[in-house]
Amino acid sequence: MKALSTRFAWPSFVLFSCVFAVSNAADSKLRFSPQSINLWRLDAQEKALSAAHLTVSPLVLQDTGNVGYSASPTTFLRQGDEFPEQYFIQPIDHHDPTVGTFRQRYWVNTRHYIPDSGGPVIVLDGGETSGEDRIPFLDTGIVDILAKATGGVGVVLEHRYYGKSIPVSDFSTDNLRWLNNDQAAADSANFIANVEFYGIDEDLTAPNVPWIYYGGSYAGARSAHMRILYPELVFGAIASSAVTHATLSNWEYYDIIRQAADPNCIAHIENAVQTLDVLLEVPYLNSYVKGLFGLQDLKQDDDFMSVIEIPLGYWQAKNWDPSVGSQKFDEFCEALNKPIFGATDIAALPVGHEDRLLRLPGGHWIDFSVLLYAQYIRDGLVERCLNAGMTVGECYGTYNDTAFLETSIDQDWRLWTFQVCTEWGYFFTAPPDPEHPKIVSKLMTMDYATKICQQAFPPGKYFTVPPLPNITTVNILGDFAISVDRLAFIDGDVDPWKPCTPHSRYADDRKDTILRPFKLIPGGVHHYDENGLRNITDEPPEIQKIHYEMINFVLEWLEGFEA
């Protein structure tokens, strides 16, 4: 007997009867998009509500008696656990010392240090987040792995403006003018040349001892740039998922996901996007379609479609170690593949098959996976918003300019946004070719993606954000072709950022050598080599392999070091 056809119009009470659980586990830092700031604000609202429900404990004054000082007049140390936070004094403006100084935070791992061995120092660039987020890499990740193999010292260095390394009183446009590639690189160089490590009598500054600079993603590009800009200080560098190619439109990010993810899941997403783009143009269906997703209060169609694309960002959070990565992308795909009313035979039919279609008012038809998509958004993003006591417009609208003008230092979403708007770009848009297969809406235009730059950063007295970022400041340092001895590139073959790395299809191929390693991790996503297990032999084979290869080429590099 033929399977029961689903070609009928569902009443509204049936449309919303299927409930799917959405993981609330914290994701890794997602790529910048118009909704990134809204999600940041939603997180902040949830934390505020959670804090308001906590029982107030008796006031305990902080003990400041354990603050010690190293021999260096520019380094402060607060004692604590194995990796206490320490501080190094930096100029706010390396070109004008009269502006003042700030304290740049860092952490040190000396558990494998062999005194008077001549180093090396393995330093990990904190990149566009609090340096505290990188401490696991100091403990069991790549920093500890290389320090153990070399008898060296491991360091995590927090990026200026992030975490506690804040040089200004607020994040206004003028006060962000020192947040740029030039100043950040000068910070690292000054640190490498002058730091004195607490409890270590040996001079471990460069060029007296070899420094190996490591970074992932944005920090990976910085790692490559440090090797180019300061070759006398940075003996070697490892650039993981290094986005050395800055671009305005980064539509290829989504195209990597489209090609790499489960084909059945991608078919559902492609169909949903194409269907919604068409239905939004039908006046009497516009509000109805948004209502299916619980987003009827979003008046702007591009805001609506940008919410629809939020789950795509979960791909970047995948990791070989389940305790580190997120499974939310896979959960999203499972939600789109669920059979309705247990009709597994219908769910197995190809997307668009007549037995999968549901009728909307006016004779329009949609595949039932669109309704599953809608329920996923309702039960996750919309419910989360309402539970936080916010309206959908407050959560996911992007056209209220005043919502983006708060400049206090707790508004740390402004930092990477500022860097995107001034030097790096990476605006996420639909493919330039309308006929190209896509998993994001055609409404994801450059105008929509870039309007935040003028909304959040009105002209200041000393600095004005340009109409478009000056990506030449990044690309002039080598772009896809950046290459020098003792500079390694390590990427994942399904990393959505790969199109912006030297492994991009737009880049010339190159050989993988000891002096210029060029490695691609099978099945790897974003900087898959950065985290690790305390015992390397417990890691998956492809991760063991890359870690042993990294140890090997670093040891080979060090053989050629001359102080």
Side-chain angles (χ1 to χ4, degrees):
M1 180 180 294
K2 185 178 179 181
L4 174 66
S5 173
T6 54
R7 295 190 68 199
F8 55 85
W10 276 11
S12 59
F13 72 87
V14 176
L15 286 175
F16 305 128
S17 63
C18 303
V19 178
F20 305 106
V22 179
S23 170
N24 290 320
D27 297 319
S28 64
K29 186 177 180 68
L30 299 182
R31 77 284 184 277
F32 171 82
S33 75
Q35 292 300 337
S36 298
I37 299 166
N38 284 335
L39 291 172
W40 179 95
R41 294 165 63 192
L42 181 55
D43 284 340
Q45 175 70 1
E46 290 173 334
K47 290 175 183 177
L49 289 174
S50 177
H53 287 88
L54 293 178
T55 302
V56 178
S57 301
L59 178 64
V60 178
L61 297 178
Q62 183 180 15
D63 178 11
T64 59
N66 60 355
V67 178
Y69 299 88
S70 76
S72 167
T74 60
T75 307
F76 299 92
L77 168 67
R78 180 175 297 280
Q79 306 292 352
D81 55 11
E82 184 179 5
F83 309 125
E85 61 183 36
Q86 305 182 44
Y87 290 88
F88 181 86
I89 300 301
Q90 293 279 16
I92 295 175
D93 186 344
H94 287 270
H95 307 296
D96 183 0
T98 65
V99 174
T101 61
F102 74 100
R103 302 196 311 164
Q104 185 175 25
R105 188 166 58 157
Y106 66 100
W107 298 261
V108 182
N109 176 348
T110 59
R111 62 166 70 129
H112 305 298
Y113 165 61
I114 301 175
D116 301 318
S117 63
V121 179
I122 314 296
V123 58
L124 183 143
D125 190 300
E128 75 285 23
T129 188
S130 168
E132 293 180 20
D133 297 339
R134 309 305 190 192
I135 291 178
F137 308 135
L138 188 67
D139 185 26
T140 62
I142 192 59
V143 180
D144 187 71
I145 289 170
L146 294 179
K148 182 178 181 180
T150 60
V153 172
V155 178
V156 167
L157 181 62
E158 189 168 67
H159 194 294
R160 63 167 45 209
Y161 283 84
Y162 291 90
K164 293 184 180 179
S165 301
I166 302 175
V168 292
S169 58
D170 65 52
F171 293 153
S172 62
T173 304
D174 276 342
N175 276 349
L176 290 173
R177 69 187 186 274
W178 298 291
L179 177 55
N180 57 50
N181 300 336
D182 175 60
Q183 297 285 355
D187 285 343
S188 296
N190 189 36
F191 179 85
I192 291 169
N194 294 291
V195 68
E196 295 180 18
F197 292 116
Y198 183 83
I200 296 179
D201 295 330
E202 183 181 5
D203 180 2
L204 293 181
T205 59
N208 301 309
V209 300
W211 281 64
I212 306 297
Y213 205 104
Y214 179 95
S217 194
Y218 159 67
R222 279 181 38 76
S223 180
H225 294 164
M226 288 299 298
R227 180 74 183 104
I228 298 296
L229 293 170
Y230 297 98
E232 74 284 3
L233 298 177
V234 177
F235 179 70
I238 303 173
S240 177
S241 295
V243 287
T244 58
H245 172 72
T247 183
L248 296 179
S249 172
N250 191 22
W251 67 270
E252 291 96 335
Y253 178 99
Y254 293 118
D255 213 45
I256 290 289
I257 300 172
R258 183 185 66 82
Q259 297 175 60
D262 172 60
N264 192 43
C265 179
I266 292 301
H268 290 315
I269 299 171
E270 281 190 77
N271 175 72
V273 167
Q274 182 179 359
T275 299
L276 294 173
D277 272 350
V278 171
L279 296 181
L280 288 177
E281 295 178 347
V282 181
Y284 65 87
L285 282 179
N286 186 285
S287 180
Y288 180 89
V289 168
K290 291 176 182 176
L292 295 180
F293 288 78
L295 298 170
Q296 60 272 18
D297 292 337
L298 281 183
K299 304 306 178 186
Q300 304 293 337
D301 292 349
D302 43 16
D303 277 347
F304 170 72
M305 292 305 295
S306 71
V307 174
I308 302 307
E309 76 174 39
I310 287 175
L312 301 182
Y314 302 155
W315 178 268
Q316 184 178 323
K318 294 166 73 74
N319 190 270
W320 58 268
D321 184 350
S323 68
V324 173
S326 167
Q327 303 300 315
K328 289 185 71 172
F329 188 89
D330 295 335
E331 293 167 2
F332 168 58
C333 285
E334 289 174 5
L336 299 188
N337 288 331
K338 283 185 178 292
I340 295 181
F341 306 132
T344 55
D345 50 346
I346 297 176
L349 294 172
V351 175
H353 189 281
E354 63 176 9
D355 287 342
R356 293 174 54 98
L357 298 181
L358 305 165
R359 184 170 60 83
L360 297 182
H364 293 273
W365 299 87
I366 59 172
D367 188 273
F368 73 70
S369 61
V370 177
L371 300 182
L372 299 178
Y373 203 143
Q375 196 65 43
Y376 183 90
I377 297 296
R378 285 179 64 89
D379 291 343
L381 297 173
V382 175
E383 182 177 348
R384 183 182 171 199
C385 171
L386 300 179
N387 288 343
M390 302 170 70
T391 68
V392 168
E394 290 170 334
C395 282
Y396 302 118
T398 67
Y399 281 85
N400 180 7
D401 295 352
T402 60
F404 305 106
L405 293 177
E406 174 61 48
T407 62
S408 59
I409 60 172
D410 63 345
Q411 303 292 306
D412 57 10
W413 62 266
R414 297 179 64 83
L415 302 177
W416 180 240
T417 308
F418 181 83
Q419 292 186 261
V420 163
C421 292
T422 53
E423 293 185 321
W424 289 86
Y426 303 128
F427 298 106
F428 293 88
T429 66
D433 179 3
E435 302 304 317
H436 192 285
K438 55 182 177 291
I439 56 175
V440 294
S441 169
K442 65 182 181 182
L443 300 179
M444 298 299 97
T445 64
M446 185 64 71
D447 286 344
Y448 179 70
T450 60
K451 66 184 174 67
I452 186 61
C453 297
Q454 304 308 316
Q455 291 174 301
F457 307 109
K461 180 179 179 181
Y462 304 104
F463 188 85
T464 299
V465 170
L468 290 174
N470 181 15
I471 59 176
T472 301
T473 61
V474 176
N475 294 334
I476 198 173
L477 296 176
D479 207 320
F480 290 129
I482 187 170
S483 181
V484 68
D485 285 353
R486 298 189 302 279
L487 171 57
F489 288 101
I490 300 173
D491 294 301
D493 68 349
V494 292
D495 183 353
W497 287 100
K498 188 175 73 169
C500 297
T501 75
H503 273 99
S504 168
R505 64 186 177 93
Y506 301 119
D508 292 336
D509 196 13
R510 59 177 85 176
K511 294 181 179 179
D512 174 26
T513 67
I514 289 292
L515 272 181
R516 301 188 181 193
F518 193 64
K519 300 181 182 297
L520 197 62
I521 303 173
V525 188
H526 209 42
H527 41 88
Y528 254 35
D529 60 297
E530 193 162 12
N531 57 293
L533 302 180
R534 195 168 300 280
N535 184 349
I536 289 183
T537 61
D538 291 334
E539 296 172 352
E542 67 276 11
I543 304 303
Q544 282 189 55
K545 181 175 184 291
I546 193 64
H547 283 159
Y548 281 126
E549 287 177 343
M550 295 168 76
I551 290 170
N552 181 56
F553 67 65
V554 167
L555 290 174
E556 289 281 351
W557 291 354
L558 295 176
E559 288 292 324
F561 177 75
E562 296 181 4

